[in-house]
Amino acid sequence: MPKIIAFSTLKGGAGKSTLLMLTAAAVKNRTSHRLLVIDSDPQLSVKQIHQQENHPQAYDVFAFNWLQQNPQDYFAKVLTLAERKYDLVFMDLPPGRITDDPIMYSLLAADTVIVPIVASQLDVNATTNFLTLLPELMADRQHKPPLEVFGVINKQDQTVEYKHLTKLAGQASLQLFYTPLSNRVRYKRGVSTWRDLVDPTDPTDEFNRYFDEFRAKCFI
Ligand SMILES: Nc1ncnc2c1ncn2[C@@H]1O[C@H](COP(=O)(O)OP(=O)(O)O)[C@@H](O)[C@H]1O
Ligand SMILES: [Mg+2]
């Protein structure tokens, strides 16, 4: 069974697709895991870049359309097929409520969810709403172990909106990464379906520290 990691938030623009792609490129370049990305967002952020780059070393990307008939059955089939070929599945989810089909069924299948969080009142409130509904959803997981929920502070800057983050403590067993990702142009420009963003040997680089934490926390 591949490990399934979803990137999800209630709000758009927090950095789901960015974080997924940066992490996926590092997995591709720094590990031997066979990785599939399922793009479930109708905006197809990952799929589009995958097609534009069309690079032989790119990780595989599968665009999943949740508006088709019986999407749950087809989704289950895709995951069964993925079992044979991949060790790791990342899911890029559309923004929305946890009760929306693409989010609910993806989180039911996932082992881990990464929630990018921007330190502003609106984003933290949205994250709190998202997390409040999680326990109810997890009750339906039956035989699966509890969903692991990790928050990653994204677009960190010099403003003092960090006081809002204290509201997140203890929410639905959310564990915050120690390493935030700063608001930087390189994260806007550096998304790729094959190229690693930074030199992996530089231990001072925040992305490398984030990725080490990602591997340790998600057992990758
Ligand atoms: N750490 C960051 N620094 C600078 N820009 C970022 C960062 N993370 C995301 N962005 C930018 O923010 C916007 C929204 O990010 P995106 O990944 O599309 O969010 P989502 O998938 O959650 O809607 C994009 O323009 C992206 O380039
Ligand atoms: Mg996105």
Side-chain angles (χ1 to χ4, degrees):
M1 197 62 187
K3 175 144 204 154
I4 303 179
I5 302 180
F7 291 70
S8 187
T9 54
L10 190 84
K11 263 166 84 59
K16 291 176 286 299
S17 304
T18 301
L19 210 53
L20 178 146
M21 292 185 76
L22 296 171
T23 312
V27 164
K28 177 82 191 166
N29 284 283
R30 305 181 195 188
T31 80
S32 57
H33 295 302
R34 297 166 303 167
L35 170 68
L36 172 69
V37 172
I38 300 180
D39 190 346
S40 280
D41 188 345
Q43 287 187 30
L44 295 178
S45 311
V46 186
K47 188 67 194 175
Q48 270 176 21
I49 294 185
H50 188 252
Q51 280 169 344
Q52 283 160 11
E53 289 187 312
N54 190 25
H55 196 277
Q57 279 156 33
Y59 48 79
D60 292 345
V61 180
F62 183 84
F64 191 86
N65 174 12
W66 279 92
L67 295 175
Q68 67 190 298
Q69 292 223 313
N70 298 326
Q72 298 97 304
D73 296 346
Y74 185 45
F75 189 63
K77 273 186 202 142
V78 170
L79 290 181
T80 306
L81 288 175
E83 243 176 67
R84 298 198 202 130
K85 223 180 139 188
Y86 301 97
D87 313 306
L88 200 54
V89 175
F90 283 3
M91 295 175 169
D92 194 24
L93 300 186
R97 301 198 143 268
I98 230 161
T99 45
D100 295 347
D101 275 6
I103 301 183
M104 188 169 72
Y105 289 108
S106 299
L107 293 187
L108 281 172
D111 301 292
T112 303
V113 57
I114 303 278
V115 185
I117 303 164
V118 177
S120 78
Q121 191 162 9
L122 290 179
D123 284 79
V124 170
N125 286 349
T127 305
T128 309
N129 294 343
F130 183 85
L131 295 173
T132 307
L133 291 166
L134 255 184
E136 231 174 277
L137 177 92
M138 285 200 276
D140 281 344
R141 287 169 66 85
Q142 293 156 359
H143 55 280
K144 276 181 84 81
L147 180 68
E148 293 230 86
V149 187
F150 292 111
V152 178
I153 308 301
N154 190 26
K155 306 194 194 183
Q156 189 187 42
D157 56 22
Q158 301 306 314
T159 61
V160 278
E161 299 303 311
Y162 285 84
K163 60 176 190 273
H164 299 300
L165 294 173
T166 55
K167 288 187 213 152
L168 292 171
Q171 284 278 346
S173 59
L174 173 91
Q175 305 175 57
L176 269 188
F177 271 46
Y178 303 115
T179 320
L181 292 182
S182 310
N183 195 344
R184 291 213 195 144
V185 174
R186 72 172 190 178
Y187 295 130
K188 284 184 197 280
R189 293 195 187 130
V191 287
S192 165
T193 54
W194 66 278
R195 196 187 310 105
D196 209 338
L197 180 75
V198 295
D199 169 8
T201 60
D202 177 359
T204 62
D205 190 285
E206 68 170 24
F207 179 76
N208 289 338
R209 282 187 277 118
Y210 154 80
F211 188 66
D212 288 344
E213 213 182 326
F214 174 85
R215 290 191 76 171
K217 288 202 159 72
C218 301
F219 301 102
I220 301 300

